[in-house]
Amino acid sequence: MTTLVIAEHDNKELKGATLNALAAATKIGADIDLLVMGVDCATVVTAAQNVSGVSRVLVADHGCYGEQLAENVALLVAELGVDYRHVLAPATTHGKNVMPRVAALLDVSQISEIIDVLSVDTFKRPIYAGNAIATVQSDDRVKVITVRCSSFDAVAQADSVSASVVVLPQQHDAGLSVFVSASLAVSDRPELTDAKVVISGGRGLQNGDNFSLIYAVADKLNAAVGASRAAVDAGFVPNDMQVGQTGKIVSPDLYIAVGISGAIQHLAGMKDSKVIVAINNDEEAPIFQIADYGLVADLFTALPELESVL
Ligand code: FAD
């Protein structure tokens, strides 16, 4: 019994989310093959070989996988998947794009965003925006699974190469999509989903310019910056900063919510944070019910004070 894990990467670096998905695969208890699909991705392959617990790195290094278009890579994953009992990917934007296609091609049900592995066929996953946890048992021959990264501690990367490499000849071009361009936000700050500290702003910030108060504190704490959906919908900040049910799921050591009321859809994205701090001028705000530390204050006074003492 072997498990196939899909590597997340940008043809240069193996992304941290892969290490969390591998931790879930390790809990299943089988040998692990890690699949790297891309083009000119030799550095990723070397990094993949160094990951603890990986037996083999399967490499499909062809132009048709260069941008990892879901239509193309899903064909390869499904073709390989028939020989595995489990196929796992991180529940990132990429994983969520690819894995439903894989499940459909294999004619099985996807098991989405698992947060725990109870046995080879039984998993825990959140439902109702994280307000209930379902225990799901699957009889499918191949279990196609996405993994909530914040629920599994990343496996280690070793210094020495241990996994062997298998080069795959298959070149699948579905002919359904063409990569045109990517416009990526560039930031010196830590990635929101990887950061140890996250500070998020909500509608209480009133406009995008006032987010400079959040950035100033974030710079002092080497924190990533997030936002509520209300702040995103109002155009204060871009939507890749949204934390919550329909945004990113984070579980940093410290989460600071500023001018955020604490709607359940926001809590769904951050309530697993180890320490939660809330700054809000309404002492009745629901965010205080889950906060470890609450400051009832005007954020326009509290944030500059916080920045000055850091
Ligand atoms: P508000 O609820 O308006 O709260 C603003 C807060 O700022 C208030 O508590 C107020 O007291 C405080 N405040 C105002 N001025 C100050 C000041 N000067 N100093 C200090 N505090 C101040 N939301 C998400 O965040 N993420 C999601 O992924 C998400 N997904 C959703 C999915 C669905 C299907 C639906 C229906 C909703 C979703 N929402 C999501 C929206 C969610 O329900 C809330 O509307 C949203 O989280 C509210 O954002 P907010 O807390 O910034 O705004």
Side-chain angles (χ1 to χ4, degrees):
M1 188 174 80
T2 307
T3 297
L4 181 66
V5 177
I6 315 303
E8 182 133 340
H9 66 92
D10 58 3
N11 291 316
K12 296 185 185 69
E13 277 179 24
L14 186 66
K15 299 291 180 188
T18 312
L19 306 179
N20 302 104
L22 283 164
T26 305
K27 229 175 158 185
I28 291 171
D31 288 343
I32 297 172
D33 287 350
L34 183 57
L35 173 60
V36 177
M37 297 169 283
V39 72
D40 297 332
C41 50
T43 51
V44 179
V45 174
T46 305
Q49 285 182 276
N50 292 357
V51 177
S52 150
V54 174
S55 306
R56 302 189 304 170
V57 179
L58 312 186
V59 184
D61 191 331
H62 304 294
C64 57
Y65 305 127
E67 305 302 334
Q68 298 169 57
L69 296 174
E71 293 81 356
N72 295 356
V73 299
L75 290 174
L76 178 60
V77 177
E79 182 190 324
L80 300 173
V82 291
D83 293 328
Y84 291 86
R85 292 275 298 278
H86 301 85
V87 181
L88 274 66
T92 53
T93 306
H94 182 63
K96 289 177 183 177
N97 195 9
V98 173
M99 295 303 262
R101 298 167 199 270
V102 173
L105 289 165
L106 291 172
D107 197 20
V108 298
S109 304
Q110 176 174 296
I111 307 166
S112 302
E113 290 212 33
I114 63 162
I115 57 169
D116 201 3
V117 176
L118 300 185
S119 71
V120 290
D121 65 0
T122 309
F123 310 90
K124 284 192 172 184
R125 60 177 297 268
I127 55 173
Y128 300 120
N131 286 305
I133 306 297
T135 299
V136 180
Q137 187 169 29
S138 167
D139 292 335
D140 281 329
R141 187 178 38 80
V142 184
K143 290 155 193 41
V144 174
I145 296 169
T146 59
V147 176
R148 180 171 285 192
C149 294
S150 59
S151 298
F152 295 90
D153 289 336
V155 297
Q157 275 178 295
D159 293 333
S160 57
V161 170
S162 54
S164 59
V165 170
V166 178
V167 175
L168 301 175
Q170 293 97 323
Q171 299 185 39
H172 291 296
D173 185 348
L176 294 171
S177 57
V178 176
F179 175 79
V180 177
S181 67
S183 175
L184 299 173
V186 180
S187 170
D188 292 337
R189 294 201 172 80
E191 176 71 22
L192 195 49
T193 48
D194 288 340
K196 299 264 179 263
V197 181
V198 173
I199 176 166
S200 292
R203 199 187 334 243
L205 268 295
Q206 297 180 0
N207 58 49
D209 290 344
N210 289 336
F211 259 74
S212 58
L213 297 168
I214 299 274
Y215 292 122
V217 175
D219 288 343
K220 292 278 172 78
L221 294 171
N222 189 30
V225 176
S228 71
R229 177 158 160 181
V232 169
D233 287 352
F236 300 174
V237 290
N239 66 0
D240 63 351
M241 288 169 61
Q242 184 176 317
V243 172
Q245 180 187 342
T246 44
K248 292 183 175 159
I249 310 286
V250 300
S251 61
D253 294 340
L254 173 62
Y255 187 89
I256 307 174
V258 183
I260 291 177
S261 58
I264 52 165
Q265 295 90 353
H266 187 79
L267 304 187
M270 45 63 75
K271 67 178 164 41
D272 291 334
S273 305
K274 299 200 177 46
V275 175
I276 297 171
V277 173
I279 302 175
N280 198 303
N281 62 1
D282 174 9
E283 63 181 328
E284 302 291 326
I287 191 79
F288 288 128
Q289 289 168 20
I290 63 144
D292 299 287
Y293 300 93
L295 179 63
V296 180
D298 186 326
L299 68 90
F300 295 103
T301 313
L303 286 178
E305 281 180 7
L306 181 58
E307 189 213 338
S308 68
V309 295
L310 283 171

